[in-house]
Amino acid sequence: MSKPRLFYFDIKGRAEPIRLALAAAGVDFEFEAVNKEVIKSDAEHYPFFQAPRYIDDEVDMVQSMGILRHVARKFDLYGKDHAEMARVDEVIEGCSDLLAKMIMEYMIKAKEDPGAKDAYWAGRIDPASAAGATTYGAHMALLDRLLARSSSGYYLDSGLSVADIVVTFFMQLHMEMFSCESLAEQWPSLMALHDRVLALPRIAAYPAGPLHPAKMLFSSA
Amino acid sequence: MPKPRLIYFPIQGRAEPIRLALAAAGVDFEFEAANKEAIKSDAEHYPFYQVPRYIDDEVDMVQSMGILRHVARKFNLYGKDRVEMARVEEVIEGCNDLIMKLFTECIVKAKEDPGAKDAYWAARIDPASAAGAATYGAHMAFLDRLLARSSSGYYLDSGLSVADIVMTVNMQLHLGAFSRERLAEQWPSLMALHDRVLALPRIAAYLAGPLHPAVMHPMAG
């Protein structure tokens, strides 16, 4: 199998869970940076005019969470049976919901509303607000609750899956915005999962390598 | 295998793709109207304080798109190999991106902004705007483009999958806001897919039966 190829901007962004999953599976891949001009001019390969795009011996596809699920299926990071796959999907969907709120309520809103950051923390991260009626499924407490169902230290009893990888990325994203101390204090199990995943031998080598972008987002330092 | 149980509100809403998929697969299921107090107080069974919840011999799970994927895996509506599964993911993700915009930019916004519907059409449905910078992956054109890759009349060459079902629900939601004539004129292949899916014998029987709710969603006019 020739090396998979990943096309994205030169940031971690929405491709980072894919990179982490490939690293965790021990799959060497090539990365090609793209820009908006490339994407907008090639409707056949970028049918939604969006990146990431991923190519391997089976697929040439887009949609970050679709790519992640393909990588999970192909490289055995989706759990061992339907029951475990269902657990993975609950975590992926829950993370996606929270990410959507973060983008809308914090990243976009903060440009005009200086209180947006604190409001997002209070509504979506602070344990005190978990049971509130307004979370609509999007709260860090809910990801913590799912992790508590397992005894392996990962979301699945059978071990590492893309559920752990998505949540690890999610914690990294929040560590850009909020202090590590306050996140670790409020959500020690999630932070421990993050640390555990990044310390895995295959993944530990990845941040030091050339496939690892320095910036999380376009706006990151 | 005892009948699967689906727990949700007595509307089509986020459970309709699941109901249609079970119907298409010929799987008889039970519907239970969700109890709002139970959802808020039973964290074990409603870990995100949300419905739908779905129970069968393998899973007791939440997250509508997780449930849909489980049903697809179990009842052979996910394609025949990873290549086809990747196509399904592209359609599911693309449809959900557009549905989210339909609700935020059109259905909800139209309550206070009389120009919202026309603006949404111009930005997300009108073919002329497909290549525009503002689409962020959410445009009816992209879903049409993916359908054109197949020659079977469904998204997959191998036949019906949950991709077709999610697109059918997507079209139904748009039919709640725009006329059939306008939508069919711009996107005849997508409307033909919608009609084809709803005419399948098992699905037509479901639509005529007691498990199909009359109300599409809480904000349906």
Side-chain angles (χ1 to χ4, degrees):
Chain A
M1 184 191 81
S2 53
K3 283 189 202 175
R5 294 160 67 199
L6 180 66
F7 301 77
Y8 193 58
F9 311 110
D10 195 13
I11 59 171
K12 295 188 183 64
R14 287 185 183 275
E16 194 64 1
I18 300 165
R19 294 187 186 99
L20 287 168
L22 290 167
V27 176
D28 201 11
F29 63 98
E30 288 174 7
F31 172 72
E32 296 180 31
V34 293
N35 58 32
K36 282 188 179 174
E37 285 68 42
V38 167
I39 295 169
K40 290 287 184 187
S41 64
D42 187 357
E44 185 195 343
H45 295 120
Y46 296 92
F48 294 94
F49 295 128
Q50 287 181 318
R53 172 187 174 203
Y54 169 91
I55 306 172
D56 67 21
D57 55 335
E58 291 178 317
V59 302
D60 182 343
M61 68 183 296
V62 294
Q63 292 292 357
S64 59
M65 290 295 108
I67 294 167
L68 186 69
R69 285 182 164 98
H70 167 75
V71 167
R73 282 190 270 273
K74 190 175 173 76
F75 299 115
D76 197 25
L77 286 169
Y78 217 147
K80 61 175 171 33
D81 54 23
H82 286 170
E84 288 208 324
M85 294 174 97
R87 296 278 86 84
V88 172
D89 284 330
E90 283 177 323
V91 174
I92 290 178
E93 293 298 302
C95 249
S96 290
D97 285 351
L98 194 40
L99 182 61
K101 294 296 180 200
M102 186 185 158
I103 291 170
M104 269 198 323
E105 293 175 358
Y106 172 35
M107 288 166 68
I108 292 178
K109 209 168 174 200
K111 295 178 200 289
E112 38 163 67
D113 174 6
K117 193 174 164 178
D118 288 345
Y120 171 77
W121 178 278
R124 307 283 177 196
I125 311 295
D126 189 337
S129 58
T134 55
T135 56
Y136 292 113
H139 199 288
M140 200 165 268
L142 312 180
L143 299 175
D144 183 79
R145 174 176 300 153
L146 288 181
L147 183 58
R149 288 175 165 182
S150 161
S151 52
S152 70
Y154 299 103
Y155 275 97
L156 301 180
D157 287 326
S158 68
L160 183 76
S161 72
V162 288
D164 307 294
I165 284 169
V166 165
V167 171
T168 294
F169 162 72
F170 197 68
M171 295 304 286
Q172 289 196 307
L173 192 54
H174 281 73
M175 285 156 73
E176 290 250 326
M177 323 282 179
F178 304 102
S179 82
C180 302
E181 291 73 28
S182 45
L183 282 166
E185 184 184 54
Q186 302 301 333
W187 301 113
S189 295
L190 292 176
M191 191 58 87
L193 174 68
H194 161 276
D195 296 347
R196 181 178 308 126
V197 168
L198 293 185
L200 290 169
R202 285 169 166 172
I203 292 189
Y206 161 68
L211 292 166
H212 185 245
K215 287 170 35 164
M216 172 65 78
L217 304 163
F218 289 115
S219 53
S220 300
Chain B
M1 185 192 82
K3 283 189 202 176
R5 291 159 61 200
L6 179 66
I7 301 166
Y8 191 59
F9 307 116
I11 61 171
Q12 293 170 33
R14 287 183 182 278
E16 197 61 4
I18 300 165
R19 293 187 183 99
L20 288 167
L22 289 165
V27 176
D28 200 11
F29 65 96
E30 287 174 7
F31 173 75
E32 296 174 26
N35 177 315
K36 284 190 177 173
E37 285 68 40
I39 295 171
K40 293 294 179 188
S41 63
D42 184 358
E44 185 194 343
H45 295 116
Y46 300 96
F48 294 95
Y49 299 124
Q50 287 180 320
V51 279
R53 172 185 172 202
Y54 169 92
I55 304 164
D56 69 20
D57 56 333
E58 291 178 315
V59 301
D60 181 343
M61 67 183 296
V62 295
Q63 291 292 354
S64 60
M65 290 293 112
I67 295 166
L68 185 68
R69 286 177 167 98
H70 167 75
V71 167
R73 269 175 221 126
K74 190 174 173 78
F75 300 116
N76 197 25
L77 285 168
Y78 219 150
K80 62 174 170 37
D81 56 24
R82 281 195 290 261
V83 179
E84 290 207 324
M85 293 174 96
R87 297 279 87 84
V88 172
E89 306 294 3
E90 287 177 320
V91 176
I92 289 177
E93 296 294 306
C95 274
N96 284 332
D97 284 351
L98 186 56
I99 290 170
M100 187 172 342
K101 296 297 184 195
L102 174 67
F103 274 89
T104 53
E105 293 177 358
C106 180
I107 294 174
V108 173
K109 205 169 176 197
K111 293 187 191 297
E112 37 162 66
D113 174 4
K117 262 178 89 168
D118 287 345
Y120 173 83
W121 179 278
R124 308 273 177 207
I125 312 295
D126 188 338
S129 59
T135 57
Y136 291 115
H139 198 290
M140 198 65 90
F142 309 145
L143 302 170
D144 181 80
R145 176 177 297 151
L146 291 181
L147 183 58
R149 289 175 166 181
S150 162
S151 51
S152 69
Y154 299 103
Y155 275 101
L156 301 180
D157 288 326
S158 67
L160 183 77
S161 72
V162 289
D164 307 295
I165 286 171
V166 171
M167 180 61 227
T168 297
V169 171
N170 185 10
M171 185 58 84
Q172 296 229 295
L173 289 166
H174 280 81
L175 284 165
F178 303 101
S179 78
R180 186 188 163 86
E181 289 69 30
R182 278 182 90 192
L183 285 163
E185 182 184 43
Q186 298 302 333
W187 303 113
S189 296
L190 292 176
M191 190 61 81
L193 173 67
H194 162 275
D195 296 348
R196 182 177 307 125
V197 169
L198 296 188
L200 290 167
R202 287 169 167 170
I203 291 192
Y206 156 70
L207 293 171
L211 288 167
H212 175 60
V215 174
M216 199 167 1
H217 60 78
M219 282 169 281

Short mmCIF file of all heavy atoms in Angstrom, two decimals, chain B residues 31 38 40 53 64 71 76 86 89 91 93-94 118-119 152 161 169 171 177 183 192 206 214:
data_model
loop_
_atom_site.label_atom_id
_atom_site.label_comp_id
_atom_site.label_asym_id
_atom_site.label_seq_id
_atom_site.Cartn_x
_atom_site.Cartn_y
_atom_site.Cartn_z
N PHE B 31 -41.90 2.40 19.05
CA PHE B 31 -41.62 3.80 19.36
C PHE B 31 -42.17 4.11 20.75
O PHE B 31 -43.29 3.74 21.07
CB PHE B 31 -42.25 4.73 18.33
CG PHE B 31 -42.13 6.19 18.73
CD1 PHE B 31 -40.91 6.84 18.61
CD2 PHE B 31 -43.22 6.88 19.26
CE1 PHE B 31 -40.79 8.17 19.01
CE2 PHE B 31 -43.10 8.22 19.64
CZ PHE B 31 -41.89 8.86 19.52
N ALA B 38 -37.49 12.36 32.53
CA ALA B 38 -36.56 11.23 32.52
C ALA B 38 -35.27 11.61 31.80
O ALA B 38 -34.17 11.26 32.23
CB ALA B 38 -37.21 10.03 31.84
N LYS B 40 -33.83 14.45 31.60
CA LYS B 40 -32.99 15.34 32.41
C LYS B 40 -32.42 14.67 33.64
O LYS B 40 -31.42 15.08 34.19
CB LYS B 40 -33.80 16.58 32.83
CG LYS B 40 -34.18 17.51 31.70
CD LYS B 40 -32.98 18.18 31.07
CE LYS B 40 -33.37 19.10 29.92
NZ LYS B 40 -32.19 19.61 29.20
N ARG B 53 -32.94 8.11 21.61
CA ARG B 53 -32.24 6.98 22.22
C ARG B 53 -32.74 5.75 21.51
O ARG B 53 -33.91 5.66 21.12
CB ARG B 53 -32.56 6.92 23.71
CG ARG B 53 -32.03 5.67 24.44
CD ARG B 53 -32.53 5.68 25.89
NE ARG B 53 -32.22 4.43 26.58
CZ ARG B 53 -32.87 4.00 27.66
NH1 ARG B 53 -33.87 4.72 28.18
NH2 ARG B 53 -32.54 2.86 28.23
N SER B 64 -28.21 10.94 17.26
CA SER B 64 -28.98 10.50 16.09
C SER B 64 -28.10 9.97 14.96
O SER B 64 -28.43 8.94 14.35
CB SER B 64 -29.86 11.65 15.57
OG SER B 64 -29.07 12.76 15.20
N VAL B 71 -27.53 1.42 12.80
CA VAL B 71 -28.59 0.77 12.02
C VAL B 71 -28.07 0.42 10.63
O VAL B 71 -28.33 -0.67 10.10
CB VAL B 71 -29.84 1.67 11.97
CG1 VAL B 71 -30.84 1.20 10.93
CG2 VAL B 71 -30.49 1.77 13.34
N ASN B 76 -27.22 -3.45 6.83
CA ASN B 76 -26.67 -3.44 5.48
C ASN B 76 -27.16 -2.25 4.63
O ASN B 76 -27.57 -2.41 3.49
CB ASN B 76 -27.00 -4.77 4.77
CG ASN B 76 -26.12 -4.98 3.57
OD1 ASN B 76 -25.01 -4.45 3.50
ND2 ASN B 76 -26.61 -5.72 2.60
N ALA B 86 -17.13 5.35 2.68
CA ALA B 86 -16.57 6.70 2.61
C ALA B 86 -17.52 7.64 1.87
O ALA B 86 -17.70 8.80 2.26
CB ALA B 86 -15.21 6.68 1.92
N GLU B 89 -20.30 8.59 4.19
CA GLU B 89 -19.89 9.62 5.16
C GLU B 89 -19.90 11.01 4.53
O GLU B 89 -20.35 11.98 5.15
CB GLU B 89 -18.48 9.35 5.71
CG GLU B 89 -18.22 7.99 6.31
CD GLU B 89 -18.99 7.68 7.58
OE1 GLU B 89 -19.82 8.49 8.03
OE2 GLU B 89 -18.78 6.57 8.12
N VAL B 91 -21.75 12.16 2.18
CA VAL B 91 -23.12 12.64 2.01
C VAL B 91 -23.74 13.00 3.36
O VAL B 91 -24.39 14.05 3.50
CB VAL B 91 -23.98 11.60 1.28
CG1 VAL B 91 -25.43 12.05 1.19
CG2 VAL B 91 -23.42 11.34 -0.13
N GLU B 93 -22.27 13.91 6.17
CA GLU B 93 -21.67 15.13 6.71
C GLU B 93 -22.13 16.36 5.93
O GLU B 93 -22.49 17.39 6.50
CB GLU B 93 -20.15 15.03 6.69
CG GLU B 93 -19.58 13.93 7.58
CD GLU B 93 -19.80 14.17 9.07
OE1 GLU B 93 -19.42 15.25 9.56
OE2 GLU B 93 -20.38 13.29 9.73
N GLY B 94 -22.14 16.24 4.60
CA GLY B 94 -22.55 17.38 3.76
C GLY B 94 -24.02 17.74 3.97
O GLY B 94 -24.38 18.92 4.04
N ASP B 118 -35.14 34.24 1.28
CA ASP B 118 -34.57 34.53 -0.03
C ASP B 118 -33.04 34.53 0.02
O ASP B 118 -32.37 34.07 -0.90
CB ASP B 118 -35.08 35.87 -0.56
CG ASP B 118 -36.54 35.81 -1.01
OD1 ASP B 118 -37.05 34.69 -1.18
OD2 ASP B 118 -37.16 36.88 -1.17
N ALA B 119 -32.51 35.07 1.12
CA ALA B 119 -31.05 35.12 1.27
C ALA B 119 -30.49 33.71 1.36
O ALA B 119 -29.44 33.40 0.79
CB ALA B 119 -30.68 35.93 2.52
N SER B 152 -26.47 4.42 -10.43
CA SER B 152 -27.55 3.55 -9.98
C SER B 152 -28.84 4.31 -9.67
O SER B 152 -29.88 3.69 -9.46
CB SER B 152 -27.13 2.81 -8.69
OG SER B 152 -27.04 3.74 -7.62
N SER B 161 -28.67 3.28 0.42
CA SER B 161 -27.94 3.35 1.68
C SER B 161 -28.51 4.50 2.51
O SER B 161 -29.38 5.24 2.05
CB SER B 161 -26.45 3.62 1.43
OG SER B 161 -26.27 4.97 1.01
N VAL B 169 -34.45 13.16 3.70
CA VAL B 169 -34.91 13.99 4.82
C VAL B 169 -34.49 15.44 4.60
O VAL B 169 -35.27 16.37 4.84
CB VAL B 169 -34.36 13.46 6.16
CG1 VAL B 169 -34.64 14.44 7.29
CG2 VAL B 169 -34.97 12.10 6.48
N MET B 171 -34.18 16.94 1.77
CA MET B 171 -35.09 17.52 0.78
C MET B 171 -36.46 17.79 1.42
O MET B 171 -37.07 18.83 1.16
CB MET B 171 -35.22 16.57 -0.42
CG MET B 171 -36.06 17.13 -1.57
SD MET B 171 -35.42 18.70 -2.23
CE MET B 171 -34.17 18.10 -3.38
N ALA B 177 -39.92 24.64 3.46
CA ALA B 177 -39.65 26.08 3.38
C ALA B 177 -39.81 26.64 1.97
O ALA B 177 -40.05 27.83 1.80
CB ALA B 177 -38.23 26.37 3.89
N LEU B 183 -37.61 23.89 -6.16
CA LEU B 183 -36.53 22.96 -5.81
C LEU B 183 -36.29 21.97 -6.95
O LEU B 183 -35.14 21.67 -7.31
CB LEU B 183 -36.86 22.22 -4.52
CG LEU B 183 -36.72 23.06 -3.25
CD1 LEU B 183 -37.45 22.39 -2.08
CD2 LEU B 183 -35.26 23.27 -2.89
N ALA B 192 -35.69 13.78 -7.74
CA ALA B 192 -36.02 12.43 -8.24
C ALA B 192 -35.57 11.37 -7.23
O ALA B 192 -36.28 10.38 -7.00
CB ALA B 192 -35.36 12.18 -9.59
N TYR B 206 -44.32 2.43 5.55
CA TYR B 206 -44.00 3.12 6.82
C TYR B 206 -44.68 4.49 6.88
O TYR B 206 -45.29 4.87 7.89
CB TYR B 206 -42.48 3.28 6.97
CG TYR B 206 -42.09 4.42 7.88
CD1 TYR B 206 -42.31 4.34 9.25
CD2 TYR B 206 -41.55 5.60 7.37
CE1 TYR B 206 -41.99 5.41 10.09
CE2 TYR B 206 -41.23 6.67 8.19
CZ TYR B 206 -41.47 6.57 9.55
OH TYR B 206 -41.16 7.63 10.36
N ALA B 214 -46.74 12.88 12.13
CA ALA B 214 -47.27 13.87 11.19
C ALA B 214 -46.43 15.14 11.17
O ALA B 214 -46.22 15.75 10.13
CB ALA B 214 -48.72 14.20 11.56
#
